[in-house]
Amino acid sequence: KRSERGLPVLERELEKTTQKVMQLTSYQKDNEALKGEVAAQTAVIEGLRKERGLWSKELAEQGAQLSLERGTLQSEMERVTRLCEERRERVEQLTDTVRIKEQQLTDAMDTITKIKEHHQHKHKSRTRKENARCKDDNII
């Protein structure tokens, strides 16, 4: 009789143990799946860290290149500014020279005009005197 009573208890215990084994198996599967996810996420994180490192290196290189280009452009800008200033001064000198030459030309033209007028006046005066002499000579 004892063994008959013990059998249902053993069956219940066996069933409980079977459920626990099934639950443990499920937990192990979940654990393996979670380990896989963690490994995948760790790989992604490592990839992102490497990519960030590459970006940092690339940005540092670009920063150095931009700094070098800035220095070059600043130097070029200073050179062009000096050149513009030199050319502006040269234009001012040439403008002054042209004004002086223009004034000299105007003065020379005024002198020529005065000489011409004086010469014409003398010529007219001489012609009048000669005409007057001719009239006087013809009258006599």
Side-chain angles (χ1 to χ4, degrees), residues 84-119:
C84 285
E85 183 62 26
E86 290 169 4
R87 288 191 177 163
R88 187 189 59 75
E89 290 172 2
R90 181 69 179 140
V91 165
E92 286 177 5
Q93 290 171 353
L94 291 172
T95 301
D96 290 344
T97 301
V98 166
R99 282 188 196 128
I100 291 168
K101 300 265 184 201
E102 185 179 29
Q103 187 60 46
Q104 288 173 345
L105 185 59
T106 301
D107 291 347
M109 288 179 70
D110 287 346
T111 302
I112 290 170
T113 303
K114 286 177 184 177
I115 291 172
K116 210 176 188 185
E117 286 173 356
H118 181 67
H119 181 64

Side-chain angles (χ1 to χ4, degrees), residues 44-84:
V44 168
I45 289 170
E46 287 302 313
L48 290 172
R49 285 183 179 152
K50 286 179 182 177
E51 191 171 343
R52 182 181 64 186
L54 290 174
W55 284 358
S56 295
K57 181 180 177 185
E58 187 176 319
L59 284 173
E61 289 172 2
Q62 287 178 355
Q65 183 64 31
L66 287 173
S67 182
L68 180 65
E69 286 178 19
R70 180 176 183 248
T72 302
L73 289 174
Q74 198 168 16
S75 170
E76 181 67 13
M77 191 170 75
E78 289 170 5
R79 185 188 71 76
V80 169
T81 301
R82 279 192 310 273
L83 182 63
C84 285

Side-chain angles (χ1 to χ4, degrees), residues 11-52:
E11 285 178 352
R12 278 192 306 247
E13 286 299 315
L14 179 62
E15 189 175 313
K16 284 181 185 178
T17 303
T18 303
Q19 284 178 355
K20 286 182 181 181
V21 167
M22 286 175 39
Q23 192 176 21
L24 181 63
T25 303
S26 173
Y27 288 155
Q28 285 174 341
K29 287 179 184 177
D30 290 346
N31 187 30
E32 290 301 316
L34 290 173
K35 282 182 182 179
E37 285 181 33
V38 167
Q41 290 175 355
T42 301
V44 168
I45 289 170
E46 287 302 313
L48 290 172
R49 285 183 179 152
K50 286 179 182 177
E51 191 171 343
R52 182 181 64 186

